[in-house]
Amino acid sequence: MLDKVNREFYYARVSSKGQNLARQIKEFYDMGAADENIIVDKKSGKNFVRPGYEMLKGKGGLKPGDTLIVKELDRLGRNKEGIKRELEYWKSVGVRVKILDVPVTMQDFPENQTWIQEMVLNILIEVISSIAEQERKQINQRILEGIEAMPIIDGKRVSTRTSRPVGRPPVEYPENWDVLYSLWRDKYITTKEFYRESGIKRTTFYKKLKEYSGKTR
């Protein structure tokens, strides 16, 4: 099915029951698409699984000079960062992407003006990148504001929704910590041996060592 050159393939995806797959496919038919050139993915559970799309990216899929057509930008990814990554991928392998809802990407140019298509794609990637960065900043700001609004109980921020402390739970001392610490303090074992036998991560070990040393003074 995918062995000709300069082909056009149409990709449709729905990620929820409320989205209309038939609407996307109808527009492809209106453009003259054949059934064998339409690839469809439907949501499968909670995972972002796209076997049809991955087939297009695979060994026997789209090749340089081919065109991928989608109804909307968000058919390519679950967020702006993902969309940007996919556009950059198709650009790197020489596949043109047309988006029905972005008319400028649908325009065809003479062979000696194909640089305009690349320019349009570069601008599109740049715009999406800027939007994604702005969205990340807004999300981070909302997270910080949410944390700052949480009450402090026993020195810890506590979620008003779950009434539980936020952040990672503290790492407890290993069962053999007291014995190892005594051996290390009396120079029967080295710090490296202490760290290895404690069975916790290196950075956590040094934090615990500093904390425990302060308690025993």
Side-chain angles (χ1 to χ4, degrees):
M1 181 177 74
L2 300 176
D3 56 352
K4 297 180 181 179
V5 296
N6 297 327
R7 305 152 304 169
E8 289 187 343
F9 277 84
Y10 304 76
Y11 177 68
R13 176 178 66 83
V14 287
S15 55
S16 70
K17 293 181 180 180
Q19 291 181 326
N20 194 334
L21 184 62
R23 178 176 59 87
Q24 296 178 58
I25 294 177
K26 180 181 183 304
E27 292 203 41
F28 295 158
Y29 283 150
D30 291 343
M31 295 175 65
D35 287 336
E36 61 269 22
N37 288 356
I38 298 176
I39 308 300
V40 174
D41 278 328
K42 296 181 180 180
K43 181 179 180 181
S44 177
K46 294 182 179 180
N47 298 322
F48 194 62
V49 180
R50 300 186 294 175
Y53 187 77
E54 293 304 321
M55 182 274 292
L56 290 173
K57 295 178 69 175
K59 185 176 180 180
L62 294 173
K63 295 178 174 61
D66 291 344
T67 299
L68 174 64
I69 301 171
V70 296
K71 171 74 172 81
E72 302 153 331
L73 266 173
D74 60 7
R75 299 305 89 195
L76 295 175
R78 67 197 316 175
N79 53 41
K80 297 296 188 300
E81 194 61 40
I83 294 170
K84 172 177 172 284
R85 187 166 54 247
E86 294 307 312
L87 288 174
E88 289 176 334
Y89 168 78
W90 291 118
K91 176 185 175 182
S92 71
V93 297
V95 171
R96 181 181 177 186
V97 178
K98 292 183 177 181
I99 304 103
L100 271 60
D101 285 0
V102 185
V104 67
T105 65
M106 301 295 296
Q107 294 183 338
D108 292 317
F109 299 91
E111 189 173 343
N112 63 345
Q113 295 182 6
T114 53
W115 60 269
I116 299 178
Q117 294 175 354
E118 184 171 353
M119 180 186 69
V120 168
L121 180 58
N122 288 338
I123 293 173
L124 186 59
I125 291 173
E126 191 66 31
V127 169
I128 292 173
S129 179
S130 298
I131 294 173
E133 179 63 25
Q134 185 61 32
E135 286 184 348
R136 281 195 298 272
K137 289 180 179 178
Q138 290 176 345
I139 290 171
N140 288 334
Q141 182 62 31
R142 286 198 293 269
I143 291 173
L144 289 174
E145 290 173 353
I147 292 174
E148 290 175 356
M150 292 178 181
I152 299 176
I153 301 176
D154 294 331
K156 297 179 181 179
R157 297 280 183 181
V158 176
S159 170
T160 54
R161 185 172 64 85
T162 65
S163 298
R164 295 176 181 176
V166 298
R168 294 181 179 179
V171 177
E172 301 296 335
Y173 292 100
E175 291 183 2
N176 59 352
W177 181 273
D178 290 333
V179 174
L180 290 172
Y181 182 83
S182 296
L183 292 172
W184 171 79
R185 182 191 57 199
D186 295 336
K187 303 188 185 307
Y188 286 104
I189 62 174
T190 65
T191 302
K192 185 176 182 180
E193 289 170 332
F194 186 2
Y195 156 62
R196 186 176 63 246
E197 293 299 324
S198 69
I200 56 179
K201 292 182 179 179
R202 183 182 178 85
T203 54
T204 304
F205 166 77
Y206 282 104
K207 288 180 181 178
K208 286 295 182 184
L209 180 58
K210 183 177 180 181
E211 177 185 288
Y212 194 82
S213 297
K215 290 180 179 179
T216 56
R217 286 175 184 171

